[in-house]
């Protein structure tokens, strides 16, 4: 463990920007990095998948002053700060809570990324990057149903299985969240992603491909938790996971 908290907010932001390489993803519509500036000292970190009013209220109640999220508030275009947008920001200002977003940088990170963490938890080896996800393999061919059961245990939800391929799988591509746009590039026995799309239902079977949909939200809890744990180990900052499942 490194030095114990509290920690200067700006020092923490500089560390996160460099560690996550947030400037290496110019294609990302998310405003990665510090989105809302809060208290100058960080004593407690919160981790959440989404930025939203319910999460911000949890953060206030938990005494969080630096909130890490995967899906932030700002996505490439301006909007008026009225209605629910105003309520959201008012809660952050009320608690002096900094909001830090890491979208594609947290999908792709080789240590604390959604895909790398989930792949290791599944037991995949020989991991290599694939777009913002990863490819890997099981040490031995594994029944598809067993992989689905393991994903259910890890995510806490029942995954949706589209078995277009063989029953035993060895090679796997994993892209958390919404990865169906990459379906045409998949060459492995199994593709694991989060959110199903009706438009690719038939393509999955016509390509002879196995796909497991394990939930957009549920496949993207892994990165923010791993990142917050990393900060605790390095800087001694306590953290809490703020859970608000979407069912999607």
């Amino acid at each position: 463990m490194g030095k114990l908290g509290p920690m200067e907010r700006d020092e923490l932001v500089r560390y996160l920007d460099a560690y996550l390489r947030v400037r290496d993803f110019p294609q990302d519509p998310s405003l990665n990095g510090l989105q809302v500036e809060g208290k100058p000292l960080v004593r407690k970190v919160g981790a959440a998948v989404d930025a939203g009013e319910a999460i911000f209220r949890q953060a206030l109640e938990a005494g969080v002053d630096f909130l890490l999220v995967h899906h932030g508030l700002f996505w490439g275009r301006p909007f008026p700060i009225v209605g629910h947008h105003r309520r959201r920001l008012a809660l952050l200002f009320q608690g002096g809570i900094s909001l830090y977003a890491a979208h594609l940088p947290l999908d792709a990170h080789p240590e604390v990324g959604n895909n790398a963490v989930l792949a290791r938890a599944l037991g995949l080896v020989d991991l290599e990057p694939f777009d913002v996800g990863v490819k890997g393999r099981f040490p031995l061919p594994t029944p598809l149903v067993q992989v689905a059961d393991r994903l259910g245990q890890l995510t806490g939800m029942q995954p949706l299985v589209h078995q277009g391929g063989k029953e035993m799988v060895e090679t796997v591509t994993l892209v958390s969240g919404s990865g169906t746009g990459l379906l045409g590039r998949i060459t492995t026995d199994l593709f694991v992603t989060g959110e199903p799309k009706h438009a690719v239902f038939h393509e999955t079977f016509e390509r002879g491909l196995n796909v497991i949909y394990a939930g957009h939200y549920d496949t993207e809890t892994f990165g923010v938790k791993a990142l917050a744990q990393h900060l605790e180990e390095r800087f001694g900052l306590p953290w809490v996971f703020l859970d608000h499942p979407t069912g999607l």
Side-chain angles (χ1 to χ4, degrees):
M1 181 184 292
K3 66 181 182 181
L4 297 176
M7 182 178 184
E8 290 186 5
R9 177 201 62 228
D10 294 345
E11 181 184 354
L12 179 55
V13 169
R14 285 192 295 271
Y15 176 79
L16 287 169
D17 285 352
Y19 180 64
L20 297 172
R21 300 183 293 112
V22 297
R23 307 305 172 213
D24 290 356
F25 296 84
Q27 78 277 26
D28 194 347
S30 174
L31 179 63
N32 291 306
L34 186 66
Q35 293 193 342
V36 177
E37 184 178 279
K39 299 173 184 176
L41 287 180
V42 177
R43 292 181 170 83
K44 187 175 184 180
V45 171
V49 175
D50 303 311
E53 186 175 343
I55 293 297
F56 296 164
R57 291 193 184 280
Q58 286 187 51
L60 270 174
E61 293 171 3
V64 165
D65 41 39
F66 194 96
L67 178 58
L68 301 167
V69 297
H70 184 49
H71 302 131
L73 292 178
F74 305 109
W75 294 90
R77 59 185 179 87
F79 54 84
I81 306 301
V82 298
H84 71 283
H85 293 305
R86 181 188 181 280
R87 293 196 302 272
R88 286 171 164 183
L89 288 172
L91 288 169
L92 294 177
F93 293 145
Q94 177 184 338
I97 301 170
S98 294
L99 179 68
Y100 189 100
H103 185 228
L104 296 187
L106 195 56
D107 286 325
H109 199 275
E111 296 173 12
V112 299
N114 288 312
N115 295 291
V117 175
L118 181 52
R120 292 194 297 265
L122 266 180
L124 298 179
V125 297
D126 297 336
L127 299 182
E128 58 182 86
F130 175 85
D131 198 86
V132 295
V134 296
K135 291 199 303 185
R137 64 176 182 85
F138 291 112
L140 295 171
T142 303
L144 180 64
V145 65
Q146 184 175 318
V147 181
D149 287 345
R150 177 59 177 157
L151 279 166
Q153 294 167 8
L154 291 170
T155 63
M157 72 161 287
Q158 181 65 45
L160 173 64
V161 180
H162 287 176
Q163 184 179 349
K166 52 192 179 182
E167 294 183 2
M168 301 293 288
V169 299
E170 184 172 4
T171 57
V172 182
T173 302
L174 202 159
V175 180
S176 63
S178 182
T180 55
L182 300 170
L183 197 68
R185 294 170 50 192
I186 304 301
T187 59
T188 50
D189 300 332
L190 170 63
F191 181 37
V192 177
T193 189
E195 185 177 330
K197 291 288 193 298
H198 180 83
V200 301
F201 174 85
H202 293 286
E203 182 181 351
T204 297
F205 294 94
E206 290 163 357
R207 288 181 177 275
L209 179 63
N210 292 316
V211 182
I212 297 179
Y213 299 103
H216 192 136
Y217 178 91
D218 296 278
T219 57
E220 296 194 323
T221 62
F222 295 88
V224 288
K225 290 179 180 179
L227 179 57
Q229 182 64 37
H230 171 80
L231 294 179
E232 180 178 43
E233 292 170 357
R234 185 173 181 89
F235 300 113
L237 291 169
W239 66 280
V240 60
F241 178 59
L242 307 175
D243 195 14
H244 195 82
T246 64
L248 301 173

